[in-house]
């Protein structure tokens, strides 16, 4: 455990985090976690817990966490897409070399519809970028 504790702890939730202030300044020298707020990563909203008033430092720390969390989630999203490209390649190899007729019958439509949907979105987005670049 580090020599000193951070002042805040963020318990990650689906859309953000519950924010706690950490305290060891008590008679038992135990770590106490006092929930001070809830932070929403999607809309940037910070709600104080109960009738609590957040300090400027609380708000700044939470806003910094939201910003860092958004960057992390964006990076993870890109990493997921890169892994998906690998999976698509591995799936093509599997379909060509290892898949049985029964497996292909079972998965064929799901794969084709998902790839058709993805291709349609990508082609449309690319066409939009080309149009925008031409100034139309």
């Amino acid at each position: 455990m580090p020599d000193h504790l951070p002042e805040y702890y963020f318990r990650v939730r689906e859309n953000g985090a519950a924010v706690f202030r950490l305290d060891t300044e008590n008679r038992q020298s135990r770590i106490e976690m006092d929930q001070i707020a809830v932070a929403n990563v999607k809309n940037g909203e910070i709600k104080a817990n109960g009738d609590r008033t957040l300090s400027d430092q609380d708000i700044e720390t939470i806003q910094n966490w939201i910003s860092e969390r958004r960057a992390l989630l964006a990076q993870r999203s890109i990493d997921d897409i890169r892994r998906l490209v690998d999976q698509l390649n591995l799936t093509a190899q599997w379909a060509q070399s290892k898949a049985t007729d029964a497996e292909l019958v079972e998965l064929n439509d799901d794969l084709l519809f998902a790839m058709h949907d993805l291709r349609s979105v990508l082609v449309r987005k690319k066409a939009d970028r080309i149009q925008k670049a031409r100034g139309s």
Side-chain angles (χ1 to χ4, degrees):
M1 190 183 244
D3 291 342
H4 72 287
L5 294 174
E7 191 171 344
Y8 300 93
Y9 171 72
F10 294 83
R11 181 192 300 152
V12 175
R13 299 173 10 160
E14 183 70 27
N15 293 327
V19 184
F20 296 86
R21 184 175 290 120
L22 302 181
D23 180 25
T24 57
E25 301 298 322
N26 55 62
R27 292 191 310 176
Q28 295 86 15
S29 294
R30 292 186 179 156
I31 298 172
E32 291 185 9
M33 295 173 55
D34 182 25
Q35 185 174 353
I36 62 170
V38 173
N40 186 312
V41 172
K42 290 186 179 184
N43 64 16
E45 186 175 336
I46 299 169
K47 290 184 182 177
N49 193 41
D51 60 352
R52 182 178 307 275
T53 302
L54 298 176
S55 70
D56 290 343
Q57 179 185 349
D58 293 337
I59 293 170
E60 182 180 348
T61 301
I62 295 168
Q63 287 173 335
N64 287 341
W65 181 87
I66 288 172
S67 187
E68 291 170 7
R69 184 71 180 170
R70 285 176 174 166
L72 175 64
L73 293 174
Q75 182 59 46
R76 284 183 182 169
S77 180
I78 295 298
D79 289 344
D80 288 347
I81 301 302
R82 293 183 195 283
R83 279 191 291 280
L84 175 62
V85 170
D86 287 348
Q87 279 303 128
L88 286 169
N89 285 313
L90 291 169
T91 302
Q93 183 61 33
W94 167 83
Q96 183 177 13
S97 63
K98 296 179 183 176
T100 65
D101 286 343
E103 290 169 330
L104 289 172
V105 166
E106 180 182 343
L107 297 169
N108 194 63
D109 287 346
D110 290 340
L111 286 168
L112 285 173
F113 288 131
M115 290 185 307
H116 176 72
D117 184 31
L118 175 60
R119 183 183 183 284
S120 296
V121 169
L122 292 174
V123 167
R124 185 172 54 250
K125 291 287 197 172
K126 186 169 187 168
D128 290 347
R129 285 193 311 274
I130 290 169
Q131 289 288 349
K132 192 181 283 185
R134 290 183 181 162
S136 298

